[in-house]
Short mmCIF file of all heavy atoms in Angstrom, two decimals:
data_model
loop_
_atom_site.label_atom_id
_atom_site.label_comp_id
_atom_site.label_asym_id
_atom_site.label_seq_id
_atom_site.Cartn_x
_atom_site.Cartn_y
_atom_site.Cartn_z
N LEU A 1 130.63 109.84 98.92
CA LEU A 1 130.20 108.49 99.26
C LEU A 1 128.95 108.09 98.47
O LEU A 1 128.02 108.88 98.31
CB LEU A 1 129.93 108.38 100.76
CG LEU A 1 131.17 108.46 101.65
CD1 LEU A 1 130.77 108.37 103.11
CD2 LEU A 1 132.16 107.36 101.31
N LEU A 2 128.94 106.84 98.04
CA LEU A 2 127.87 106.27 97.25
C LEU A 2 127.50 104.90 97.81
O LEU A 2 128.29 104.26 98.49
CB LEU A 2 128.31 106.10 95.79
CG LEU A 2 128.93 107.30 95.08
CD1 LEU A 2 129.58 106.85 93.78
CD2 LEU A 2 127.88 108.37 94.80
N ASP A 3 126.29 104.45 97.52
CA ASP A 3 125.95 103.05 97.72
C ASP A 3 125.10 102.60 96.54
O ASP A 3 124.88 103.35 95.59
CB ASP A 3 125.30 102.80 99.09
CG ASP A 3 123.86 103.31 99.18
OD1 ASP A 3 123.35 103.92 98.21
OD2 ASP A 3 123.23 103.11 100.24
N LEU A 4 124.64 101.35 96.59
CA LEU A 4 123.84 100.82 95.50
C LEU A 4 122.41 100.57 95.95
O LEU A 4 122.18 100.09 97.06
CB LEU A 4 124.41 99.48 95.01
CG LEU A 4 125.59 99.51 94.04
CD1 LEU A 4 126.00 98.09 93.71
CD2 LEU A 4 125.23 100.27 92.76
N PRO A 5 121.45 100.88 95.09
CA PRO A 5 120.07 100.46 95.38
C PRO A 5 119.97 98.95 95.28
O PRO A 5 120.82 98.30 94.66
CB PRO A 5 119.25 101.16 94.29
CG PRO A 5 120.22 101.35 93.17
CD PRO A 5 121.56 101.57 93.80
N PRO A 6 118.94 98.35 95.87
CA PRO A 6 118.81 96.89 95.81
C PRO A 6 118.70 96.38 94.37
O PRO A 6 117.98 96.95 93.55
CB PRO A 6 117.52 96.62 96.59
CG PRO A 6 117.31 97.83 97.44
CD PRO A 6 117.86 98.98 96.67
N LEU A 7 119.41 95.31 94.08
CA LEU A 7 119.35 94.67 92.77
C LEU A 7 118.29 93.57 92.77
O LEU A 7 118.06 92.93 93.80
CB LEU A 7 120.72 94.07 92.41
CG LEU A 7 121.90 95.02 92.28
CD1 LEU A 7 123.15 94.23 91.90
CD2 LEU A 7 121.63 96.10 91.26
N PRO A 8 117.70 93.30 91.62
CA PRO A 8 116.73 92.20 91.55
C PRO A 8 117.38 90.83 91.66
O PRO A 8 116.72 89.85 91.99
CB PRO A 8 116.08 92.39 90.18
CG PRO A 8 117.09 93.13 89.37
CD PRO A 8 117.79 94.03 90.35
N SER A 9 118.69 90.76 91.40
CA SER A 9 119.42 89.51 91.51
C SER A 9 120.91 89.83 91.52
O SER A 9 121.33 90.88 91.02
CB SER A 9 119.10 88.57 90.34
OG SER A 9 119.87 87.39 90.42
N TYR A 10 121.71 88.95 92.10
CA TYR A 10 123.17 89.06 92.00
C TYR A 10 123.69 88.17 90.89
O TYR A 10 124.92 88.00 90.75
CB TYR A 10 123.84 88.68 93.32
CG TYR A 10 123.63 89.67 94.45
CD1 TYR A 10 124.07 89.37 95.74
CD2 TYR A 10 123.03 90.90 94.24
CE1 TYR A 10 123.90 90.27 96.78
CE2 TYR A 10 122.85 91.80 95.26
CZ TYR A 10 123.28 91.48 96.55
OH TYR A 10 123.11 92.37 97.58
N VAL A 11 122.80 87.63 90.10
CA VAL A 11 123.16 86.72 89.01
C VAL A 11 122.46 87.17 87.74
O VAL A 11 121.28 87.54 87.75
CB VAL A 11 122.76 85.28 89.35
CG1 VAL A 11 122.97 84.36 88.15
CG2 VAL A 11 123.56 84.77 90.55
N HIS A 12 123.21 87.16 86.63
CA HIS A 12 122.62 87.45 85.32
C HIS A 12 123.24 86.48 84.33
O HIS A 12 124.41 86.59 83.98
CB HIS A 12 122.92 88.89 84.91
CG HIS A 12 122.26 89.30 83.63
ND1 HIS A 12 122.92 89.30 82.43
CD2 HIS A 12 120.99 89.71 83.37
CE1 HIS A 12 122.10 89.71 81.47
NE2 HIS A 12 120.93 89.97 82.01
N GLY A 13 122.44 85.48 83.91
CA GLY A 13 122.99 84.45 83.04
C GLY A 13 124.08 83.67 83.75
O GLY A 13 123.88 83.12 84.82
N ARG A 14 125.29 83.67 83.18
CA ARG A 14 126.42 82.98 83.79
C ARG A 14 127.31 83.92 84.61
O ARG A 14 128.41 83.54 85.02
CB ARG A 14 127.26 82.31 82.70
CG ARG A 14 127.88 83.31 81.70
CD ARG A 14 128.49 82.59 80.50
NE ARG A 14 128.98 83.55 79.50
CZ ARG A 14 130.26 83.87 79.33
NH1 ARG A 14 131.19 83.31 80.08
NH2 ARG A 14 130.61 84.74 78.39
N THR A 15 126.83 85.13 84.86
CA THR A 15 127.61 86.13 85.60
C THR A 15 127.09 86.27 87.02
O THR A 15 125.89 86.41 87.25
CB THR A 15 127.52 87.50 84.90
OG1 THR A 15 128.05 87.39 83.57
CG2 THR A 15 128.31 88.55 85.66
N ALA A 16 128.02 86.26 87.98
CA ALA A 16 127.70 86.50 89.39
C ALA A 16 128.36 87.79 89.83
O ALA A 16 129.55 88.02 89.57
CB ALA A 16 128.19 85.34 90.26
N LEU A 17 127.59 88.66 90.48
CA LEU A 17 128.10 89.92 91.01
C LEU A 17 128.53 89.73 92.46
O LEU A 17 127.78 89.16 93.27
CB LEU A 17 127.02 91.00 90.94
CG LEU A 17 126.48 91.33 89.56
CD1 LEU A 17 125.23 92.19 89.68
CD2 LEU A 17 127.53 92.04 88.73
N LEU A 18 129.70 90.25 92.81
CA LEU A 18 130.23 90.11 94.16
C LEU A 18 130.71 91.46 94.68
O LEU A 18 131.07 92.35 93.92
CB LEU A 18 131.42 89.13 94.20
CG LEU A 18 131.13 87.64 94.28
CD1 LEU A 18 130.59 87.13 92.96
CD2 LEU A 18 132.39 86.88 94.68
N GLY A 19 130.77 91.58 96.01
CA GLY A 19 131.35 92.75 96.64
C GLY A 19 130.64 94.03 96.26
O GLY A 19 129.41 94.07 96.15
N ASP A 20 131.41 95.09 96.05
CA ASP A 20 130.82 96.39 95.73
C ASP A 20 130.03 96.38 94.43
O ASP A 20 129.15 97.22 94.24
CB ASP A 20 131.91 97.46 95.67
CG ASP A 20 132.37 97.92 97.04
OD1 ASP A 20 131.75 97.52 98.03
OD2 ASP A 20 133.37 98.66 97.11
N ALA A 21 130.34 95.50 93.53
CA ALA A 21 129.55 95.42 92.29
C ALA A 21 128.12 95.00 92.57
O ALA A 21 127.21 95.35 91.83
CB ALA A 21 130.20 94.43 91.33
N ALA A 22 127.91 94.26 93.67
CA ALA A 22 126.58 93.77 94.02
C ALA A 22 125.90 94.60 95.08
O ALA A 22 124.69 94.84 95.02
CB ALA A 22 126.67 92.32 94.50
N HIS A 23 126.65 95.05 96.08
CA HIS A 23 126.03 95.67 97.26
C HIS A 23 126.93 96.72 97.91
O HIS A 23 127.13 96.71 99.12
CB HIS A 23 125.63 94.60 98.28
CG HIS A 23 126.72 93.61 98.57
ND1 HIS A 23 127.89 93.94 99.24
CD2 HIS A 23 126.83 92.30 98.27
CE1 HIS A 23 128.65 92.87 99.34
NE2 HIS A 23 128.04 91.86 98.76
N ALA A 24 127.47 97.64 97.12
CA ALA A 24 128.28 98.71 97.69
C ALA A 24 127.47 99.43 98.76
O ALA A 24 126.29 99.71 98.59
CB ALA A 24 128.70 99.70 96.61
N MET A 25 128.12 99.73 99.89
CA MET A 25 127.40 100.27 101.04
C MET A 25 128.17 101.40 101.68
O MET A 25 129.38 101.57 101.48
CB MET A 25 127.16 99.16 102.08
CG MET A 25 128.43 98.56 102.65
SD MET A 25 128.11 97.10 103.69
CE MET A 25 127.56 95.90 102.47
N ALA A 26 127.46 102.20 102.47
CA ALA A 26 128.11 103.24 103.28
C ALA A 26 129.12 102.58 104.21
O ALA A 26 128.90 101.45 104.68
CB ALA A 26 127.07 104.01 104.08
#
């Protein structure tokens, strides 16, 4: 099992991160 550390943003330029790409969790 893995999760993600907090990201500084869910947006980078014209890209939006969603779901596990942004906030994978236990």
